[in-house]
Amino acid sequence: MGAEPTARLGAPRTAREADVTHPHPLYCVWELTLACDLGCKHCGSRAGKARPEELTTAQALEVVAQLHEVGVRDVVLIGGEAYLREDWPIIARALAERGITVNMTTGARNLHPERIQQAVDAGLSSISISLDGLERTHDALRGSPGAWKAAVKAAGDVARTRLQLSVNTQLNRLSLPELPDLARLLVELGARAWQVQLTVAMGRAADRPELLLQPYELLELFPLLVRIQDETLLPNEIRLFPANNIGYFGPYEARLRAGGAEGRHWSGCPAGQWALGIEADGTLKGCPSLPTRAYAGGNLKTERLTELLTRSPQLRVLRERTRADLWGFCAGCYYADVCKGGCSWTAHSLLGRPGNNPYCIHRATQLSQRGLRERVSKVERAPGQPFDHGRFELIEEPIPADAQSPTCVQPLDAETMKKVLRKS
């Protein structure tokens, strides 16, 4: 495994001019509790039980004040399941009263009308409901029979309020074949936005490598997303939001990431720069998805956010990265100075360090033109902790002479699905 970023950046917590004048983060994803009412097979945080010593209400309200102080504009409340924390409406209202846009991302297993009304009253702007395919697939991935029906009902209930309904979807071997039908369901539900992200080898997903797409299968995924956007989403005024690990450049960049806007493109990992993540016990990270062990940049119970932003090496490590920190294919890429290795979460979860991300459409295209492809293969188990990861090796190989076009959009057979969803 490669060296952890904290080992490379063993700098003391002293502020420099570049830190003090650096733009403040604008966007924060806040895990209110790790308690969850689902058992998702791909959950990176292995949610289920609340963390020890989660923030008290008073501590959470102090965090709200500090987020406002540094100029954060948008906060997304997540879990676990945020609504399982009884004081979540108090926290949400405190954010909204300070002019911060508040959204919630939820599995919606028990997002009853009363809770939706609490969200309205607290001043939320939108609720994003997780739908990972049609009923059988969603319930299998979410580990709870009836989860899909509950989520679909909650989505309809949200759409009938002033809240904007969004949907978020994991892209993996089970969900991918159902994306066209899922897009049509979004139209029926009245969704206004759809965020999609690749399932990453973190947490429970690291225990199930068969669930992951292979890097070369992006060659099938990207044209599929474009077709869905053109045929279903745009005609119904639904905005597609590819997450930070849907990358990068190539002929699809402006059409997918920037909604067709010319000149707009991926501009590098926002962790610690424009984005922040807060865990339920107050741990601060540059991105909510990053492995805690390597990227925990302090704790808001005992340290002020303004101090951590300027002094914490774990928050600086990604925003200060240059081409010199990249390795493998990414080090020599034409887009290296801007892209800086794509999604740090995806790369670190796979290979133990950031700076070389095989899940890139430009990369897959370049290799394909040379008759090559990449695949990932698990070589080390994850230890079984929240936000943990194992280790995968990256294999570059000739495209087999008898290879068909990648079949990632074909449904899995029953035996393969059973293997993917087996208990670890």
Side-chain angles (χ1 to χ4, degrees), residues 364-376:
T365 301
Q366 292 290 304
L367 290 171
S368 178
Q369 291 172 354
R370 293 158 47 194
L372 300 172
R373 70 181 189 183
E374 290 179 310
R375 59 183 174 87
V376 296

Side-chain angles (χ1 to χ4, degrees), residues 75-94:
V75 172
V76 179
L77 303 178
I78 65 166
E81 192 57 82
Y83 59 64
L84 293 181
R85 181 170 169 138
E86 291 186 2
D87 61 356
W88 76 266
I90 298 173
I91 299 168
R93 185 178 297 110

Side-chain angles (χ1 to χ4, degrees), residues 24-291:
H24 292 306
L26 303 175
Y27 176 78
C28 177
V29 178
W30 188 351
E31 173 201 278
L32 290 187
T33 179
L34 200 59
C36 192
D37 49 16
L38 290 168
C40 301
K41 306 300 184 182
H42 52 275
C43 180
S45 63
R46 300 185 186 270
K49 295 181 180 180
R51 292 182 187 275
E53 301 182 355
E54 294 188 346
L55 295 173
T56 65
T57 302
Q59 289 169 333
L61 292 177
E62 174 58 25
V63 170
V64 169
Q66 293 186 43
L67 290 171
H68 178 252
E69 178 185 358
V70 302
V72 169
R73 298 177 185 174
D74 294 271
V75 172
V76 179
L77 303 178
I78 65 166
E81 192 57 82
Y83 59 64
L84 293 181
R85 181 170 169 138
E86 291 186 2
D87 61 356
W88 76 266
I90 298 173
I91 299 168
R93 185 178 297 110
L95 289 163
E97 287 176 348
R98 285 167 172 78
I100 297 173
T101 300
V102 189
N103 307 298
M104 177 186 284
T105 296
T106 171
R109 184 66 177 89
N110 291 288
L111 187 62
H112 305 313
E114 295 81 4
R115 285 176 168 147
I116 295 172
Q117 187 59 48
Q118 284 181 310
V120 173
D121 296 341
L124 265 69
S125 295
S126 72
I127 291 180
S128 181
I129 292 180
S130 300
L131 287 174
D132 290 331
L134 303 181
E135 184 171 6
R136 177 171 175 263
T137 296
H138 178 91
D139 285 359
L141 283 170
R142 295 281 161 177
S144 177
W148 186 86
K149 288 181 178 177
V152 168
K153 181 183 183 305
D157 292 341
V158 169
R160 285 187 287 274
T161 71
R162 65 161 183 79
L163 300 172
Q164 176 178 283
L165 171 65
S166 299
V167 170
N168 62 87
T169 299
Q170 293 271 328
L171 303 179
N172 53 54
R173 287 193 165 275
L174 295 187
S175 65
L176 203 60
E178 297 176 356
L179 292 182
D181 288 335
L182 185 56
R184 288 186 280 272
L185 176 61
L186 264 61
V187 176
E188 295 176 18
L189 292 174
R192 303 268 47 92
W194 190 17
Q195 184 186 64
V196 294
Q197 72 174 35
L198 296 173
T199 296
V200 171
M202 173 175 273
R204 294 185 192 131
D207 303 334
R208 298 170 171 83
E210 302 89 354
L211 190 60
L212 307 175
L213 295 176
Q214 288 293 342
Y216 62 85
E217 291 172 327
L218 298 187
L219 298 171
E220 290 287 323
L221 170 62
F222 276 71
L224 175 62
L225 290 177
V226 169
R227 186 165 68 250
I228 291 171
Q229 178 173 252
D230 291 349
E231 295 178 359
T232 305
L233 302 183
L234 289 178
N236 291 283
E237 299 182 336
I238 300 174
R239 177 76 184 275
L240 181 67
F241 287 94
N244 289 336
N245 69 357
I246 304 290
Y248 305 92
F249 298 96
Y252 306 101
E253 183 73 2
R255 296 189 64 186
L256 292 180
R257 190 178 306 282
E262 292 298 327
R264 294 184 59 187
H265 55 75
W266 167 256
S267 56
C269 177
Q273 178 170 299
W274 306 113
L276 289 176
I278 303 173
E279 294 183 358
D281 61 1
T283 298
L284 182 68
K285 300 185 293 188
C287 166
S289 300
L290 288 169

